[in-house]
Amino acid sequence: GFIRKRVALIDRRRVGLNAHVCAQVKLIAHGRANLDEFSAAIRGFPEVLDAYVLMGTTDFMLRIVAKDIDAYERFFFDQLSKLPGVQEINSTVALSEIKATTELPL
């Protein structure tokens, strides 16, 4: 029961996913009632690798990959920003990767 899944870790840049973005999403007040709807929509986007519900000033933290910044811009305007209840999205582009692991400190 401890192992959920076995996967191959692929170098995203070698497969053409050069943009790595962290996006903080804030929902409008009544949009928070639709957390399940927003969560389901996010699960359907292959660009979103990780999604977390947060406590604090933002509601979600998303880790997103795209071919390049232009592709992220299209994803941002055509899909992410059009989800119901979205008030604000703050995107931060990662310039370089210092540490990335899926290994738990056991």
Side-chain angles (χ1 to χ4, degrees), residues 65-79:
V65 292
K67 177 182 169 191
D68 52 31
I69 294 301
D70 291 335
Y72 175 71
E73 181 181 16
R74 285 189 301 278
F75 172 73
F76 179 93
F77 285 115
D78 296 343
Q79 294 178 297

Side-chain angles (χ1 to χ4, degrees), residues 33-102:
N34 299 324
L35 287 176
D36 291 339
E37 181 182 357
F38 183 85
S39 297
I42 291 300
R43 283 187 199 99
F45 295 143
E47 298 88 348
V48 178
L49 301 182
D50 297 306
Y52 303 94
V53 176
L54 304 177
M55 264 174 37
T57 58
T58 57
D59 298 305
F60 287 87
M61 170 67 77
L62 310 177
R63 189 167 65 93
I64 301 167
V65 292
K67 177 182 169 191
D68 52 31
I69 294 301
D70 291 335
Y72 175 71
E73 181 181 16
R74 285 189 301 278
F75 172 73
F76 179 93
F77 285 115
D78 296 343
Q79 294 178 297
L80 188 58
S81 65
K82 289 184 177 178
L83 291 176
V86 171
Q87 176 181 341
E88 183 179 330
I89 303 170
N90 291 307
S91 301
T92 305
V93 176
L95 298 177
S96 60
E97 193 171 272
I98 305 302
K99 180 180 180 179
T101 184
T102 60

